[in-house]
Amino acid sequence: MVWVLGVIVRYCVLLPLRVTLAFVGISFLVIGTTLVGQLPESSLRNRLSELVHLTCCRICVRALSGTIHYHNKQYRPQKGGICVANHTSPIDVLILTTDGCYAMVGQVHGGLMGIIQRAMVKSCPHVWFERSEMKDRHLVTKRLREHIADKKKLPILIFPEGTCINNTSVMMFKKGSFEIGGTIYPVAIKYNPQFGDAFWNSSKYNMVSYLLRMMTSWAIVCDVWYMPPMTREEGEDAVQFANRVKSAIAIQGGLTELPWDGGLKRAKVKDTFKEEQQKNYSKMIVGNGSLNSELD
């Protein structure tokens, strides 16, 4: 009886209210950013743009009954920096933008997402790339460096794992984000699965199914930890810097640190990786065999 009552409340009461709130938030975002984008470049336009982004993202978070606890707010990312966070769900962007504005980095999409992207970039310097441009690392790096060189622009928000991880671990950080230079502001995000699982398993659920699961859960509860800014040390390469930031995020969020590439959950393992493991295994076997022979 309790379970049936819960289903009725979530699907017949909460879901319609949440869909309505989400529609209002997205509509205000598209209309607000389009109108603000018509204003000439000025500090007033920037303030209005941030106000529109913050307000609309907060409305969308309310549509998920989001309960967010922010820690160490004195370390919030500053303009001209790069915010780096672990990635569990597409709503990570909403979670962070509820407490501050960021310049998004991503690929240009079509459909509703494309409409939102085109509206947002009119009032805020988001960095969108065409599919062909995303494969050109030098072009991506160049545009990101140009962005952070302007200390008046919003901090860039990047998820270096490149894919959603299941809220228990932090996987390999792609080194590209750490080759740009500038100050890195690490952020750890940890969801409480007791009221709703925020992890998006894209191989199992499409976006519509995932959003339906989110909007029919009781609530989305999470903690966000802002961490002291980090810079690349002398003699440290991009991979070492990425691993140092990843370790700090894992420790702060109580997550397991793993060296694997999260993208392997979709892609086939390269033959070179297989051969390397086979060589290591054969060396181990040969080494044990030699040791046993000596003992005999």
Side-chain angles (χ1 to χ4, degrees):
M1 290 295 293
V2 173
W3 182 82
V4 171
L5 180 61
V7 170
I8 293 173
V9 170
R10 288 187 290 118
Y11 282 85
C12 299
V13 179
L14 294 180
L15 180 59
L17 291 174
R18 289 171 174 174
V19 171
T20 302
L21 271 178
F23 177 78
V24 170
I26 293 173
S27 299
F28 280 6
L29 179 64
V30 173
I31 296 171
T33 52
T34 300
L35 292 176
V36 172
Q38 305 306 312
L39 299 175
E41 186 67 42
S42 64
S43 58
L44 174 61
R45 171 181 164 172
N46 293 336
R47 287 198 298 270
L48 289 176
S49 175
E50 292 181 17
L51 178 62
V52 169
H53 278 81
L54 282 173
T55 302
C56 295
C57 287
R58 287 170 180 172
I59 292 174
C60 290
V61 168
R62 297 296 180 271
L64 300 172
S65 297
T67 302
I68 313 166
H69 304 284
Y70 297 98
H71 308 273
N72 307 325
K73 287 193 174 185
Q74 69 272 23
Y75 296 130
R76 277 189 294 191
Q78 302 298 312
K79 293 183 177 181
I82 302 173
C83 176
V84 167
N86 59 300
H87 199 22
T88 302
S89 161
I91 66 172
D92 291 342
V93 175
L94 291 177
I95 297 298
L96 293 176
T97 311
T98 299
D99 192 49
C101 287
Y102 298 89
M104 312 296 176
V105 178
Q107 182 178 304
V108 174
H109 293 275
L112 176 61
M113 183 61 71
I115 294 174
I116 296 173
Q117 285 182 319
R118 289 191 294 272
M120 290 171 63
V121 79
K122 289 178 182 178
S123 66
C124 185
H126 299 293
V127 185
W128 305 130
F129 295 95
E130 296 291 343
R131 183 182 294 272
S132 57
E133 294 177 326
M134 289 296 291
K135 298 179 181 179
D136 189 341
R137 287 185 55 197
H138 297 291
L139 176 61
V140 174
T141 302
K142 178 176 178 292
R143 289 188 59 183
L144 295 181
R145 280 178 176 161
E146 289 174 351
H147 183 98
I148 65 172
D150 188 346
K151 301 305 180 183
K152 295 181 180 179
K153 289 186 176 180
L154 295 173
I156 295 175
L157 176 58
I158 298 178
F159 301 103
E161 289 167 301
T163 187
C164 295
I165 309 301
N166 66 356
N167 197 40
T168 63
S169 311
V170 181
M171 292 196 175
M172 185 183 78
F173 278 10
K174 305 292 192 299
K175 67 176 182 178
S177 308
F178 302 88
E179 293 176 327
I180 302 170
T183 303
I184 298 291
Y185 293 87
V187 176
I189 305 174
K190 176 70 173 179
Y191 291 90
N192 184 343
Q194 183 176 358
F195 300 99
D197 184 10
F199 169 55
W200 181 33
N201 186 349
S202 56
S203 60
K204 188 176 181 180
Y205 302 103
N206 59 32
M207 179 59 78
V208 175
S209 300
Y210 171 75
L211 291 177
L212 180 62
R213 284 168 53 84
M214 291 296 95
M215 289 190 172
T216 53
S217 62
W218 286 111
I220 299 300
V221 181
C222 78
D223 288 274
V224 175
W225 289 273
Y226 298 113
M227 302 166 62
M230 302 174 69
T231 54
R232 192 164 161 180
E233 297 178 349
E234 186 177 351
E236 187 177 46
D237 61 27
V239 174
Q240 292 171 332
F241 185 27
N243 289 334
R244 182 160 61 90
V245 174
K246 183 184 74 169
S247 297
I249 291 175
I251 293 171
Q252 180 64 79
L255 303 165
T256 303
E257 182 183 357
L258 298 175
W260 310 323
D261 184 353
L264 292 177
K265 67 181 182 181
R266 295 191 190 89
K268 183 180 178 182
V269 180
K270 294 181 180 179
D271 291 335
T272 53
F273 290 171
K274 292 181 181 179
E275 291 173 1
E276 184 178 352
Q277 294 301 318
Q278 289 169 350
K279 288 179 181 178
N280 292 335
Y281 188 63
S282 63
K283 289 178 181 178
M284 183 177 65
I285 294 176
V286 172
N288 289 339
S290 301
L291 180 60
N292 291 334
S293 299
E294 291 177 2
L295 292 175
D296 292 340

